[in-house]
Amino acid sequence: HNNNAGRVKIMLWTQGASSVTAGGVYTVSGTTAGNYPDVDHNTTDNYYIVAYRDTNNNVTLRLITSSGSGSSPTAAGGSHHIFPAARANYTGPRVCYHPPSNKFLIATGAASQSDGLVGMVIAPTKSNGSMNATGSDIGLTTYNGTTYSAAGGMQWDMKYDANSQAIILTWGVRSGNNMYVRTIKPNSSDATLEFGPIHAVGSSGQVHLYVGLACDTNVGKTALLSDFS
């Protein structure tokens, strides 16, 4: 929810058998503006992580909790800048929860589109909202020494797939060289990632924009969405 002078807000809704109950609204970004918000839910410990870019273009996270049905969300602690530097290409962020490791993968664009996407593994503490992020940025779109560029804006997405127990990342390239997809697994013991190979989807002459995906746990397949020419 991004309005009121560009502030990022969250509202929790409770789905009943025949109705939806709206809870209160919490302004995640406080009195300042925020852009490109995203959210995911920790199904193990029952809290949300909201990611957005602040007015200085820093990727910022907040841990949000709720006491129950239709209730108002609250923040367990202060906001946190995860990446060591602001990101100038306005790509992302995205946040995805990985249940097997009980960690989140936070991803955003690197300093330039040609450097692709970078990520950071975090292990939040629900009681005080702190974020445990260690190490340097991890390149998410590099394979066998080659870094694949990524389009600006929100032309990429990532979701958790329960069948493979991996996060599936897909992204488009503004120059029109395919759409790409790969699997990523955060490790339980440390802040590293296990990568699958990068697969190209479509032909090199197509321009893929506004990509998205959804994972079907019933049939073990993933749907990729793209507006291409």
mmCIF file of all heavy atoms in Angstrom, residues 113 149-152 155 172-178 180 204-209:
data_model
loop_
_atom_site.group_PDB
_atom_site.id
_atom_site.type_symbol
_atom_site.label_atom_id
_atom_site.label_comp_id
_atom_site.label_asym_id
_atom_site.label_seq_id
_atom_site.Cartn_x
_atom_site.Cartn_y
_atom_site.Cartn_z
ATOM 1 N N GLN A 113 22.460 -2.234 -14.171
ATOM 2 C CA GLN A 113 21.690 -3.339 -14.730
ATOM 3 C C GLN A 113 22.591 -4.435 -15.281
ATOM 4 O O GLN A 113 22.248 -5.619 -15.227
ATOM 5 C CB GLN A 113 20.756 -2.827 -15.824
ATOM 6 C CG GLN A 113 19.640 -1.947 -15.304
ATOM 7 C CD GLN A 113 18.687 -1.511 -16.395
ATOM 8 O OE1 GLN A 113 18.668 -2.081 -17.468
ATOM 9 N NE2 GLN A 113 17.894 -0.485 -16.118
ATOM 10 N N SER A 149 22.607 -9.714 -17.064
ATOM 11 C CA SER A 149 22.034 -8.433 -16.662
ATOM 12 C C SER A 149 20.552 -8.594 -16.344
ATOM 13 O O SER A 149 19.931 -9.622 -16.637
ATOM 14 C CB SER A 149 22.224 -7.398 -17.770
ATOM 15 O OG SER A 149 21.543 -7.797 -18.949
ATOM 16 N N ALA A 150 19.976 -7.567 -15.732
ATOM 17 C CA ALA A 150 18.566 -7.592 -15.357
ATOM 18 C C ALA A 150 17.949 -6.248 -15.652
ATOM 19 O O ALA A 150 18.569 -5.205 -15.441
ATOM 20 C CB ALA A 150 18.400 -7.937 -13.879
ATOM 21 N N ALA A 151 16.706 -6.247 -16.140
ATOM 22 C CA ALA A 151 16.010 -5.009 -16.466
ATOM 23 C C ALA A 151 15.664 -4.250 -15.200
ATOM 24 O O ALA A 151 15.509 -4.824 -14.123
ATOM 25 C CB ALA A 151 14.751 -5.311 -17.267
ATOM 26 N N GLY A 152 15.526 -2.932 -15.327
ATOM 27 C CA GLY A 152 15.156 -2.109 -14.188
ATOM 28 C C GLY A 152 13.682 -2.235 -13.858
ATOM 29 O O GLY A 152 12.933 -2.990 -14.471
ATOM 30 N N GLN A 155 10.675 -5.845 -13.190
ATOM 31 C CA GLN A 155 10.520 -6.840 -14.247
ATOM 32 C C GLN A 155 11.195 -8.156 -13.877
ATOM 33 O O GLN A 155 11.930 -8.751 -14.659
ATOM 34 C CB GLN A 155 11.053 -6.257 -15.555
ATOM 35 C CG GLN A 155 10.238 -5.057 -15.993
ATOM 36 C CD GLN A 155 10.956 -4.216 -17.017
ATOM 37 O OE1 GLN A 155 11.858 -4.678 -17.685
ATOM 38 N NE2 GLN A 155 10.551 -2.964 -17.159
ATOM 39 N N GLY A 172 13.752 -10.630 -16.501
ATOM 40 C CA GLY A 172 13.844 -10.250 -17.901
ATOM 41 C C GLY A 172 15.020 -9.318 -18.122
ATOM 42 O O GLY A 172 15.572 -8.747 -17.185
ATOM 43 N N VAL A 173 15.397 -9.144 -19.382
ATOM 44 C CA VAL A 173 16.511 -8.293 -19.759
ATOM 45 C C VAL A 173 16.003 -7.250 -20.738
ATOM 46 O O VAL A 173 15.383 -7.592 -21.749
ATOM 47 C CB VAL A 173 17.661 -9.116 -20.385
ATOM 48 C CG1 VAL A 173 18.813 -8.213 -20.760
ATOM 49 C CG2 VAL A 173 18.124 -10.194 -19.416
ATOM 50 N N ARG A 174 16.259 -5.994 -20.450
ATOM 51 C CA ARG A 174 15.699 -4.914 -21.251
ATOM 52 C C ARG A 174 16.180 -4.949 -22.710
ATOM 53 O O ARG A 174 15.496 -4.536 -23.635
ATOM 54 C CB ARG A 174 16.049 -3.564 -20.623
ATOM 55 C CG ARG A 174 15.317 -2.388 -21.254
ATOM 56 C CD ARG A 174 15.698 -1.089 -20.577
ATOM 57 N NE ARG A 174 15.302 -1.064 -19.190
ATOM 58 C CZ ARG A 174 14.082 -0.752 -18.756
ATOM 59 N NH1 ARG A 174 13.135 -0.467 -19.629
ATOM 60 N NH2 ARG A 174 13.805 -0.730 -17.471
ATOM 61 N N SER A 175 17.379 -5.465 -22.933
ATOM 62 C CA SER A 175 17.918 -5.503 -24.290
ATOM 63 C C SER A 175 17.239 -6.553 -25.167
ATOM 64 O O SER A 175 17.470 -6.604 -26.371
ATOM 65 C CB SER A 175 19.419 -5.796 -24.242
ATOM 66 O OG SER A 175 19.664 -7.054 -23.629
ATOM 67 N N GLY A 176 16.394 -7.412 -24.577
ATOM 68 C CA GLY A 176 15.644 -8.370 -25.366
ATOM 69 C C GLY A 176 16.285 -9.736 -25.487
ATOM 70 O O GLY A 176 15.852 -10.547 -26.304
ATOM 71 N N ASN A 177 17.324 -10.018 -24.707
ATOM 72 C CA ASN A 177 17.982 -11.324 -24.770
ATOM 73 C C ASN A 177 17.360 -12.299 -23.776
ATOM 74 O O ASN A 177 17.923 -12.566 -22.713
ATOM 75 C CB ASN A 177 19.485 -11.167 -24.506
ATOM 76 C CG ASN A 177 20.153 -10.379 -25.604
ATOM 77 O OD1 ASN A 177 19.820 -10.537 -26.769
ATOM 78 N ND2 ASN A 177 21.064 -9.507 -25.239
ATOM 79 N N ASN A 178 16.192 -12.783 -24.113
ATOM 80 C CA ASN A 178 15.520 -13.831 -23.362
ATOM 81 C C ASN A 178 14.962 -13.400 -22.010
ATOM 82 O O ASN A 178 15.151 -12.286 -21.553
ATOM 83 C CB ASN A 178 16.469 -15.030 -23.121
ATOM 84 C CG ASN A 178 16.962 -15.650 -24.390
ATOM 85 O OD1 ASN A 178 16.197 -15.855 -25.318
ATOM 86 N ND2 ASN A 178 18.247 -15.943 -24.443
ATOM 87 N N TYR A 180 15.037 -15.310 -18.078
ATOM 88 C CA TYR A 180 15.838 -16.335 -17.415
ATOM 89 C C TYR A 180 15.162 -16.826 -16.137
ATOM 90 O O TYR A 180 14.376 -16.109 -15.508
ATOM 91 C CB TYR A 180 17.223 -15.788 -17.074
ATOM 92 C CG TYR A 180 18.027 -15.362 -18.274
ATOM 93 C CD1 TYR A 180 18.147 -14.020 -18.611
ATOM 94 C CD2 TYR A 180 18.646 -16.308 -19.082
ATOM 95 C CE1 TYR A 180 18.877 -13.628 -19.727
ATOM 96 C CE2 TYR A 180 19.385 -15.924 -20.192
ATOM 97 C CZ TYR A 180 19.486 -14.586 -20.508
ATOM 98 O OH TYR A 180 20.209 -14.206 -21.614
ATOM 99 N N SER A 204 15.933 -15.035 -28.394
ATOM 100 C CA SER A 204 16.753 -13.854 -28.144
ATOM 101 C C SER A 204 16.178 -12.594 -28.764
ATOM 102 O O SER A 204 16.593 -11.497 -28.434
ATOM 103 C CB SER A 204 18.172 -14.090 -28.672
ATOM 104 O OG SER A 204 18.139 -14.347 -30.061
ATOM 105 N N GLY A 205 15.225 -12.714 -29.672
ATOM 106 C CA GLY A 205 14.643 -11.540 -30.309
ATOM 107 C C GLY A 205 13.454 -10.967 -29.572
ATOM 108 O O GLY A 205 12.877 -9.973 -29.996
ATOM 109 N N GLN A 206 13.049 -11.593 -28.461
ATOM 110 C CA GLN A 206 11.877 -11.148 -27.724
ATOM 111 C C GLN A 206 12.292 -10.238 -26.567
ATOM 112 O O GLN A 206 13.323 -10.440 -25.931
ATOM 113 C CB GLN A 206 11.104 -12.350 -27.178
ATOM 114 C CG GLN A 206 10.498 -13.214 -28.281
ATOM 115 C CD GLN A 206 9.891 -14.490 -27.741
ATOM 116 O OE1 GLN A 206 10.306 -14.988 -26.705
ATOM 117 N NE2 GLN A 206 8.911 -15.019 -28.438
ATOM 118 N N VAL A 207 11.461 -9.239 -26.303
ATOM 119 C CA VAL A 207 11.692 -8.330 -25.187
ATOM 120 C C VAL A 207 10.729 -8.713 -24.072
ATOM 121 O O VAL A 207 9.521 -8.550 -24.206
ATOM 122 C CB VAL A 207 11.470 -6.870 -25.615
ATOM 123 C CG1 VAL A 207 11.706 -5.937 -24.434
ATOM 124 C CG2 VAL A 207 12.385 -6.512 -26.775
ATOM 125 N N HIS A 208 11.255 -9.234 -22.968
ATOM 126 C CA HIS A 208 10.414 -9.719 -21.877
ATOM 127 C C HIS A 208 10.292 -8.660 -20.785
ATOM 128 O O HIS A 208 11.284 -8.206 -20.230
ATOM 129 C CB HIS A 208 11.004 -10.990 -21.288
ATOM 130 C CG HIS A 208 11.011 -12.138 -22.246
ATOM 131 N ND1 HIS A 208 9.938 -12.982 -22.386
ATOM 132 C CD2 HIS A 208 11.948 -12.573 -23.115
ATOM 133 C CE1 HIS A 208 10.212 -13.908 -23.297
ATOM 134 N NE2 HIS A 208 11.427 -13.673 -23.751
ATOM 135 N N LEU A 209 9.062 -8.270 -20.496
ATOM 136 C CA LEU A 209 8.785 -7.266 -19.487
ATOM 137 C C LEU A 209 7.744 -7.781 -18.500
ATOM 138 O O LEU A 209 6.939 -8.647 -18.818
ATOM 139 C CB LEU A 209 8.263 -5.984 -20.146
ATOM 140 C CG LEU A 209 9.166 -5.339 -21.207
ATOM 141 C CD1 LEU A 209 8.440 -4.173 -21.860
ATOM 142 C CD2 LEU A 209 10.471 -4.879 -20.594
#
